[in-house]
Amino acid sequence: MKQGVRNHLLEIAGRLFAERGYDGVTVREICHKAGVNVSAVNYYFGDKQNLYLEAVRVAARQRIEEVPMITWSADDPPAVKLRHYIRNLLQRVLLNGGADWQAQLIMSEVVKPTRACRRFVQEFVRPNFEVLLRLLRELVPEELSETGLYRVAFSIVGQCVYYRLCKGIVRNLAGKKLPSLVHLEQLAQHITEFSLAGIYTLIQRARQRRRRAQLMLESAS
Amino acid sequence: MKQGVRNHLLEIAGRLFAERGYDGVTVREICHKAGVNVSAVNYYFGDKQNLYLEAVRVAARQRIEEVPMITWSADDPPAVKLRHYIRNLLQRVLLNGGADWQAQLIMSEVVKPTRACRRFVQEFVRPNFEVLLRLLRELVPEELSETGLYRVAFSIVGQCVYYRLCKGIVRNLAGKKLPSLVHLEQLAQHITEFSLAGIYTLIQRARQRRRRAQLMLESAS
Amino acid sequence: MKQGVRNHLLEIAGRLFAERGYDGVTVREICHKAGVNVSAVNYYFGDKQNLYLEAVRVAARQRIEEVPMITWSADDPPAVKLRHYIRNLLQRVLLNGGADWQAQLIMSEVVKPTRACRRFVQEFVRPNFEVLLRLLRELVPEELSETGLYRVAFSIVGQCVYYRLCKGIVRNLAGKKLPSLVHLEQLAQHITEFSLAGIYTLIQRARQRRRRAQLMLESAS
Amino acid sequence: MKQGVRNHLLEIAGRLFAERGYDGVTVREICHKAGVNVSAVNYYFGDKQNLYLEAVRVAARQRIEEVPMITWSADDPPAVKLRHYIRNLLQRVLLNGGADWQAQLIMSEVVKPTRACRRFVQEFVRPNFEVLLRLLRELVPEELSETGLYRVAFSIVGQCVYYRLCKGIVRNLAGKKLPSLVHLEQLAQHITEFSLAGIYTLIQRARQRRRRAQLMLESAS
DNA sequence: AATGAATGAGCCTTCATTCAT
DNA sequence: GATGAATGAAGGCTCATTCAT
C-alpha cells in the first residue's frame, strides 16, 4: 500500500503531463486528483522535475514491457523481420486502450527532450534504432552507403511516428476515415510494402551502378 | 522605426517560444532580451497569448513567403511534380539560416495545437495536404482506395517532417553524418525515389488484383 | 491559534478598508501590517474581494452581537419603544471604543453597495427598517398614509445615521462641542423627543382633516 | 474651443468619479470617453488627483449656481424661512435631471473627505450650516442651549441628506413608493412640519423649565 | 498647443516548496 | 511516515505619467 501512493501519483502525473505539458500542470492538481496530500509530490519525489522524470521513465518501461521487442528466429527472411519491426514500432506508438498517455509522454520527450531526460531518451531510442540498422543491413548488402542506410531507416521510422506526433492533424485531415487509417495491421502492412519497394529500388539502382562501373572497367581494360 | 520594436519583439519572442514553449518563457525575459520595457508586450500585443499567436502567424507567413508553394506547368509529369512538392516541404521544414525558430514554432503547433491557434494551424496545413492528394491522384489512378491514398500521403509527409520533429534525435543518432544526411537536394531525391517506388508497387499490386479478378471472371463464364 | 491569523487579517483589513476604501488598500499592506506573508490573503480568503466581503460580514455580525436588537415587553408604550429603537440604532452607528471601523465599513456599503455585498446589505438593513415601520404603526393609527409613514421612518433613521455618515463634517462643525453633542443618552433623548413631536403633530393634523371632512359632510347633508 | 476640452474633461470625469469613485476610474477611460488624447488629463490638470479636485470644485460651484441660496425678506416669519431653507437643501441634494453626478460627487466628499478636498469641502459646508444656525436662533430664543441648537440643526440636515446618502437603500426599501416619496415639494413640506413640531416642543419644554424655576424661586423668597 | 508611444512602479495572484507537527 | 499550513519568489498585467515631436 505504501508503494501504492507513489505509483498512483506517477500514473496521475504522467497522464496530466502528457495532456498539458510540464508547465501546464500544477503539483496541487496532481495531488488533488490523486487524493493525497499537497506535499506528497515533494515527499515521494523531492521535486516536480523529478516526478516528471520518473513519470517518463515509468512510461517508457511500461511501454516496453507491454510491447516487448520481437525476437526473430535467425532464419526469418529480412523482409519478414522488417514487417515485425514496423508493427512493433507502430504498436508502441499508436494509441492502445487507456494508457495512451505513455506514448504521448515519451513522444513529447523525443520531440523536445527536457534537460532532465535527454540522456535517458537517447538510451531509450538508440537501441531500437540500431536493431533497425542491423536489420536493414541484411536487406541491403554492401551496395548502399552508410548515409543512404540511415536515410532509409529514418524514412521508415518517420512514417510510423508521424501518426503519433501529428495525431491531431491526422485526425483532422482523415475525418471519418480515421479508424480504418490507423488500423494497426493494415497500417503495418502498408508501411512495410511501401518501404520495401523503396529499398528494392535502391538496391537495383545500386546494382545498376555497379554493373555499369564494371562494364566501364572491362571496356577500359 | 515605429514597426521596429513590434517586429523585434515578435522575432525575440518567436525564437524563445520555439525554444522553450509558451510557459517556459516569461514576458519579462522577452522584453529584457528585446531591450525594451517590461510592459512593451502588453502595449503592443495586449496579451502574452496574443503575442504568441501573432508570433506563430508571422512565422507561418514568413515561411510561406520564403518558400512559396511551387506552381507546376500542367504538362510536368506527376513524378516531377512530386519531387518538387517534397523538396518544397523539406525546405519549409528544415533549418535554413538564422530563422530556424519559425519552423520550430509552427511544428510545435502542429504537434500540439494551442486552442488559440487550432483553427489557424488547420487552415495552414489542410491546403498543402490537398495539393498533395490531387498530385497523388494523378500518379495512382482509380486503382487505389481513398484510404490507401491517404496512407501514401501520410507516408510521404511523415518522412519529411520527421527530420524536423525529431531533429534532436536525428542529430544525436546521425552524429557526424548529420550534414550529409540533411542535405536538401539529396534528401529530397531520396524521399522522392523511395516514395515513388512504393507508389509504383501499390499500382502494380492493384493491377494484378484487377487482372486476376478478370481472369476469374473469364474462366467462370 | 489557527484561527488567530485569519481573524487578525480580518481585523486589519476591515480597519484599512473602512479607512481608505477597497481600492485604496493593497493586499501587500494588509499582510505587512498583519505581520504575515504576502500571500496570506489569498491563502485564507482566496481573493481580495472575498476578504473584503468577509470583513464586511464580520463587521456586521460583530456589531449586531455587541448591540443586539432590543426586545420590548408587549405592554411598553410605543413612545418608550421608539426611544429604545433610536438608542439602539445610535449605539450601532456611533463610535464605541476601538472597533469603530466596523460601523464605518458597514456604512460605506450602505452608502455605496459593492456588487459583492448588495444583497447582503439589503438583508442587513431591511429587517431593522421593518421593525421601525411596525413600531410607528402603533404610534400613528390609520390616519397616516403609507407614504407618510415611510417619510417619518426615514426622518428618524436620517437623524441617527447622519452622525456617522457625516462624522467628519459633524466633528468639524461641532468643534469643542462634539463630545457633549454625541453623548449617547442625550442624543437618543433629543432625537426621540424631536421625532415624537413631529409624529404627534402629524396625527393631530390628520385628525383635524378628518373632523373638517366630517363637518363638511354634515353641513352638506 | 480651447476651454471646451478642459470643461468636457471635467464633465466626463466628474460623472465617472461620482459613479465609481476615484480609484474606480482610469485616466485612459476618462480621456477616451471625452474623445481626447490619453495625456490630456496630465496636460490640462497636471495630475489625476488635481482633475478630481477640480471636478469636485466645479460640481459644487455649479450646484450653488443652479440652486442659489434663497434670500429672505427680513420680515418673513422664521417658519417660512425654514421651509425655504429645507427645500433649498433638498433641491441641492436630490437628483435633478442629468447633472445628478454633481450632488453625488459632493456627497462622497462630505462623507469621506479626500485630503485634497478636506478644506474645500469645509468651506463649502460651513456657510450653509451657519445660515441654518442663525435661522434657528430666530425660532428658538435664548431658551435653548448651544448644544441643543446644534442637535436641532443636525436633525434637520440629517433628514434631508439621508435621501441622497442612502439613495440606494431608500430606493430599495421604498420600492414602488419611491417617486411619491422623493417628490420635492411634499418632502420639503414633511421635513419642515416634522422639524417645526420638534422645535416647538423643545421651546415649550424650555419655557416650562423656566416657569418651574421661577415658581421655585418665588416660593423660596 | 497637443499628441501618443513608451515607461516602470506596483498590483493581485499562482505555485512549488518547506517545516513544524 | 505523512500532513497541511504557511511561505516568498515570480508571473502577467494595469495604470498614471513622461517626453520627444
Side-chain angles (χ1 to χ4, degrees):
Chain A
M1 201 56 180
K2 290 291 171 57
Q3 278 298 77
V5 172
R6 217 188 110 97
N7 288 339
H8 193 206
L9 231 29
L10 280 169
E11 170 88 12
I12 301 282
R15 203 181 295 276
L16 289 172
F17 282 141
E19 237 171 57
R20 306 207 296 268
Y22 182 79
D23 293 304
V25 186
T26 73
V27 170
R28 288 199 116 75
E29 184 183 1
I30 293 168
C31 291
H32 183 72
K33 290 211 167 150
V36 297
N37 193 271
V38 200
S39 53
V41 161
N42 294 94
Y43 181 69
Y44 284 105
F45 300 93
D47 217 329
K48 185 189 182 186
Q49 276 269 6
N50 203 243
L51 165 62
Y52 178 78
L53 193 113
E54 288 295 286
V56 177
R57 276 211 181 106
V58 165
R61 200 180 322 138
Q62 287 187 2
R63 210 58 176 182
I64 292 172
E65 281 173 11
E66 283 178 26
V67 188
M69 175 57 77
I70 10 81
T71 46
W72 308 288
S73 46
D75 50 349
D76 271 345
V80 170
K81 289 183 185 173
L82 184 64
R83 187 202 319 272
H84 286 161
Y85 183 91
I86 286 172
R87 193 174 56 200
N88 197 248
L89 183 51
L90 281 173
Q91 269 182 311
R92 285 191 181 170
V93 141
L94 285 181
L95 70 158
N96 60 345
D100 188 28
W101 61 270
Q102 298 170 347
Q104 177 76 13
L105 197 52
I106 300 165
M107 279 297 137
S108 304
E109 278 299 308
V110 167
V111 169
K112 189 177 289 196
T114 307
R115 195 164 46 163
C117 284
R118 188 156 298 153
R119 266 180 53 193
F120 163 72
V121 166
Q122 288 164 8
E123 288 165 8
F124 171 74
V125 171
R126 183 175 287 277
N128 270 300
F129 187 69
E130 277 168 1
V131 167
L132 178 58
L133 282 182
R134 278 195 295 277
L135 198 163
L136 290 176
R137 262 288 162 241
E138 294 184 39
L139 275 164
V140 288
E142 64 282 14
E143 281 88 359
L144 197 60
S145 74
E146 191 79 358
T147 300
L149 194 75
Y150 271 66
R151 287 213 183 100
V152 172
F154 287 148
S155 278
I156 291 169
V157 174
Q159 290 178 72
C160 293
V161 297
Y162 180 76
Y163 286 87
R164 153 61 60 183
L165 293 180
C166 298
K167 197 177 171 183
I169 295 292
V170 168
R171 182 183 298 139
N172 189 268
L173 292 176
K176 291 177 297 186
K177 279 181 288 293
L178 183 68
S180 62
L181 260 172
V182 297
H183 179 276
L184 177 65
E185 289 303 331
Q186 290 180 14
L187 194 53
Q189 174 70 14
H190 159 77
I191 295 176
T192 309
E193 273 185 26
F194 197 88
S195 302
L196 278 177
I199 291 167
Y200 291 145
T201 307
L202 288 176
I203 295 172
Q204 283 171 6
R205 186 148 313 174
R207 282 191 185 141
Q208 284 169 6
R209 269 201 297 271
R210 199 168 52 172
R211 274 180 209 151
R212 221 174 300 141
Q214 278 184 336
L215 285 174
M216 285 177 69
L217 218 73
E218 288 167 6
S219 65
S221 65
Chain B
M1 202 55 181
K2 289 287 172 58
Q3 281 297 77
V5 173
R6 214 188 113 97
N7 288 339
H8 192 206
L9 232 27
L10 280 170
E11 170 89 13
I12 300 281
R15 202 180 297 276
L16 289 172
F17 282 142
E19 233 171 62
R20 304 209 295 268
Y22 182 79
D23 293 305
V25 186
T26 73
V27 169
R28 289 186 134 74
E29 185 183 2
I30 293 169
C31 291
H32 185 72
K33 292 216 165 140
V36 296
N37 193 271
V38 202
S39 53
V41 160
N42 295 100
Y43 179 68
Y44 285 105
F45 301 94
D47 219 329
K48 186 189 180 185
Q49 275 268 9
N50 203 244
L51 165 62
Y52 178 78
L53 195 110
E54 210 72 353
V56 177
R57 276 211 183 106
V58 165
R61 202 182 320 140
Q62 286 187 2
R63 211 60 177 180
I64 291 173
E65 281 173 12
E66 284 178 24
V67 188
M69 176 56 78
I70 11 82
T71 46
W72 306 288
S73 44
D75 51 348
D76 271 346
V80 171
K81 290 183 185 171
L82 184 64
R83 188 203 318 275
H84 286 330
Y85 183 91
I86 286 171
R87 193 173 58 203
N88 198 249
L89 183 51
L90 280 173
Q91 269 183 307
R92 286 191 179 171
V93 140
L94 285 181
L95 71 160
N96 61 343
D100 186 30
W101 61 269
Q102 298 170 346
Q104 176 76 14
L105 198 51
I106 300 165
M107 280 297 138
S108 303
E109 278 298 310
V110 168
V111 169
K112 189 176 290 197
T114 306
R115 194 161 46 161
C117 283
R118 187 156 297 155
R119 264 180 57 191
F120 165 71
V121 166
Q122 287 168 7
E123 288 165 9
F124 172 74
V125 170
R126 183 176 287 276
N128 270 303
F129 187 69
E130 276 169 2
V131 168
L132 178 59
L133 281 182
R134 277 195 295 276
L135 198 162
L136 289 177
R137 264 283 162 241
E138 295 183 39
L139 276 165
V140 288
E142 66 280 16
E143 280 89 1
L144 197 62
S145 74
E146 191 80 358
T147 299
L149 194 75
Y150 270 67
R151 285 213 185 100
V152 172
F154 287 148
S155 278
I156 291 168
V157 174
Q159 291 179 71
C160 293
V161 297
Y162 180 77
Y163 286 88
R164 154 59 61 187
L165 292 179
C166 298
K167 196 178 172 184
I169 295 292
V170 168
R171 181 184 298 139
N172 189 268
L173 293 176
K176 291 177 297 184
K177 278 180 290 293
L178 183 67
S180 62
L181 258 172
V182 298
H183 179 277
L184 177 64
E185 289 304 331
Q186 290 180 13
L187 194 52
Q189 174 70 16
H190 160 76
I191 294 176
T192 308
E193 273 186 26
F194 197 87
S195 301
L196 278 176
I199 291 167
Y200 292 144
T201 307
L202 287 176
I203 296 172
Q204 282 171 7
R205 186 146 313 174
R207 282 193 186 138
Q208 283 169 6
R209 269 201 297 270
R210 199 168 52 171
R211 274 182 210 148
R212 222 175 299 142
Q214 278 184 334
L215 284 176
M216 284 176 71
L217 217 69
E218 286 167 10
S219 66
S221 65
Chain C
M1 201 54 181
K2 290 286 174 55
Q3 282 297 78
V5 173
R6 215 188 113 98
N7 289 339
H8 193 207
L9 232 27
L10 279 170
E11 171 88 13
I12 301 281
R15 202 179 296 274
L16 289 172
F17 282 142
E19 234 171 62
R20 304 209 297 268
Y22 183 78
D23 293 305
V25 186
T26 72
V27 169
R28 288 189 131 71
E29 184 183 3
I30 294 169
C31 291
H32 185 70
K33 292 217 163 140
V36 297
N37 193 270
V38 202
S39 54
V41 161
N42 295 98
Y43 180 67
Y44 284 106
F45 301 94
D47 221 328
K48 186 190 181 184
Q49 276 268 10
N50 203 245
L51 165 63
Y52 178 78
L53 195 112
E54 210 71 353
V56 177
R57 276 210 183 108
V58 165
R61 202 182 319 141
Q62 287 187 0
R63 210 58 175 183
I64 291 173
E65 281 173 12
E66 284 178 24
V67 188
M69 176 56 78
I70 11 79
T71 46
W72 306 288
S73 47
D75 51 349
D76 272 345
V80 171
K81 290 183 186 172
L82 184 63
R83 190 204 315 276
H84 286 330
Y85 183 90
I86 287 171
R87 193 175 56 202
N88 198 248
L89 184 50
L90 281 173
Q91 270 183 308
R92 286 192 179 171
V93 141
L94 285 180
L95 70 159
N96 60 343
D100 186 30
W101 62 268
Q102 297 170 349
Q104 176 76 13
L105 198 51
I106 299 165
M107 280 297 139
S108 304
E109 277 299 309
V110 168
V111 170
K112 189 176 289 198
T114 307
R115 194 163 46 162
C117 285
R118 186 155 298 154
R119 265 180 56 190
F120 163 72
V121 166
Q122 288 168 7
E123 288 165 11
F124 173 72
V125 172
R126 183 175 286 276
N128 271 303
F129 187 68
E130 276 169 1
V131 168
L132 178 58
L133 282 181
R134 276 197 296 276
L135 197 162
L136 290 176
R137 263 285 162 239
E138 294 183 40
L139 277 164
V140 289
E142 65 282 13
E143 281 90 0
L144 197 61
S145 73
E146 192 79 358
T147 300
L149 193 74
Y150 270 67
R151 286 213 184 101
V152 172
F154 287 146
S155 278
I156 292 169
V157 174
Q159 291 178 72
C160 294
V161 297
Y162 180 76
Y163 286 87
R164 154 60 61 185
L165 292 180
C166 298
K167 195 179 174 185
I169 296 293
V170 168
R171 180 184 298 140
N172 190 267
L173 293 176
K176 291 176 296 185
K177 279 180 289 296
L178 183 67
S180 62
L181 257 172
V182 298
H183 179 276
L184 178 64
E185 288 303 333
Q186 291 181 15
L187 194 53
Q189 175 70 16
H190 160 77
I191 295 177
T192 308
E193 274 186 25
F194 197 88
S195 302
L196 277 176
I199 291 167
Y200 291 143
T201 307
L202 288 176
I203 296 172
Q204 283 172 8
R205 186 146 314 176
R207 282 195 186 135
Q208 285 170 6
R209 269 203 296 271
R210 200 169 49 172
R211 274 181 210 149
R212 220 176 299 143
Q214 278 183 335
L215 283 175
M216 285 177 69
L217 218 68
E218 286 167 8
S219 65
S221 64
Chain D
M1 203 54 181
K2 289 289 171 57
Q3 279 299 76
V5 172
R6 217 188 110 97
N7 289 339
H8 193 206
L9 231 28
L10 281 169
E11 169 88 12
I12 301 282
R15 201 180 298 275
L16 289 172
F17 282 141
E19 236 170 61
R20 305 208 295 269
Y22 183 79
D23 293 305
V25 186
T26 72
V27 170
R28 289 199 114 75
E29 184 182 4
I30 293 169
C31 291
H32 183 71
K33 291 211 168 149
V36 297
N37 194 271
V38 199
S39 53
V41 161
N42 294 93
Y43 181 69
Y44 284 105
F45 301 93
D47 218 330
K48 185 190 181 184
Q49 276 270 7
N50 203 244
L51 165 62
Y52 178 78
L53 194 113
E54 287 294 288
V56 178
R57 277 210 180 106
V58 166
R61 200 181 320 140
Q62 287 187 2
R63 209 58 176 182
I64 290 172
E65 282 174 10
E66 284 178 24
V67 188
M69 175 57 75
I70 12 78
T71 47
W72 306 289
S73 46
D75 50 349
D76 271 347
V80 171
K81 289 184 186 172
L82 183 64
R83 191 205 315 276
H84 286 163
Y85 183 90
I86 285 171
R87 193 173 57 199
N88 198 246
L89 183 51
L90 281 173
Q91 269 183 307
R92 285 193 182 171
V93 141
L94 286 180
L95 69 159
N96 62 343
D100 187 30
W101 63 269
Q102 297 170 347
Q104 176 76 14
L105 198 51
I106 299 165
M107 280 298 137
S108 304
E109 277 300 308
V110 168
V111 169
K112 188 177 294 195
T114 305
R115 193 164 47 163
C117 284
R118 187 156 297 153
R119 268 180 52 194
F120 163 72
V121 166
Q122 288 165 7
E123 288 164 10
F124 171 73
V125 171
R126 184 175 288 275
N128 270 301
F129 187 68
E130 277 168 1
V131 168
L132 178 58
L133 281 181
R134 278 196 296 277
L135 197 162
L136 290 177
R137 264 283 163 243
E138 296 184 38
L139 275 165
V140 288
E142 66 280 17
E143 282 89 359
L144 198 60
S145 73
E146 191 79 357
T147 300
L149 195 73
Y150 270 67
R151 287 214 183 101
V152 172
F154 287 148
S155 277
I156 291 169
V157 174
Q159 290 179 70
C160 293
V161 297
Y162 180 77
Y163 286 87
R164 153 61 60 184
L165 293 180
C166 299
K167 196 178 174 183
I169 295 293
V170 169
R171 182 182 298 140
N172 190 266
L173 292 176
K176 291 177 297 186
K177 280 181 288 294
L178 183 67
S180 63
L181 259 172
V182 297
H183 179 275
L184 178 65
E185 290 302 334
Q186 290 181 14
L187 193 53
Q189 174 69 15
H190 160 77
I191 294 176
T192 308
E193 274 185 26
F194 197 86
S195 302
L196 277 177
I199 291 167
Y200 291 144
T201 305
L202 287 177
I203 295 172
Q204 282 171 8
R205 186 146 315 176
R207 282 192 185 141
Q208 284 169 6
R209 267 202 298 271
R210 200 170 49 175
R211 274 178 209 151
R212 222 175 299 144
Q214 278 185 335
L215 284 175
M216 284 177 70
L217 216 70
E218 288 167 8
S219 64
S221 65

